[in-house]
Amino acid sequence: MLREPPEGLDLLATARDVLLNELLPALPPDKAFAARMVANAMAIAGREAAQGAWEPDVLARMTALAGAPRAFAAAIRTGRFDPGSADHAQAAALLDDMTRARCAVSAPRALGKG
């Protein structure tokens, strides 16, 4: 990589650490919740950046199964991927992968991480 250290993720983590450990204790109590929300947003942004782009793979798999996202959703509603159907395992794996990718960013504890 051609970037000079520290890179963006490191800067974000350092800024979050300063916010939580140096600034938050000095803030009045009525500002603590807002500071924690900012720290949480920073953590989410950091996890999202670290994760990289997963959407292109998911979109390609979805398109192969049913077309665009709306067509995929419509196929689910009509029962095309219900248990016992030919494409059930692929659709279930796709939905599982999407859920795990989203949770890894927004709710890593739900996956036993963080």
Side-chain angles (χ1 to χ4, degrees):
M1 185 151 295
L2 299 175
R3 296 182 186 145
E4 292 183 29
E7 292 188 13
L9 287 175
D10 294 327
L11 290 171
L12 190 58
T14 299
R16 183 174 186 273
D17 184 61
V18 168
L19 174 62
L20 289 173
N21 297 313
E22 294 180 31
L23 300 177
L24 181 62
L27 289 174
D30 64 314
K31 301 294 180 189
F33 180 75
R36 284 190 190 91
M37 282 188 357
V38 170
N40 189 42
M42 294 168 82
I44 291 170
R47 289 190 299 267
E48 187 173 273
Q51 181 183 52
W54 55 269
E55 293 92 343
D57 173 60
V58 164
L59 190 56
R61 291 166 58 196
M62 189 180 295
T63 301
L65 278 172
R70 287 180 188 241
F72 182 69
I76 290 171
R77 284 192 300 275
T78 63
R80 181 171 155 205
F81 303 120
D82 284 355
S85 65
D87 293 326
H88 170 74
Q90 286 180 303
L94 173 60
L95 292 169
D96 186 62
D97 290 347
M98 288 172 57
T99 302
R100 289 180 183 285
R102 288 178 175 174
C103 283
V105 169
S106 62
R109 288 185 203 160
L111 299 174
K113 300 174 184 175

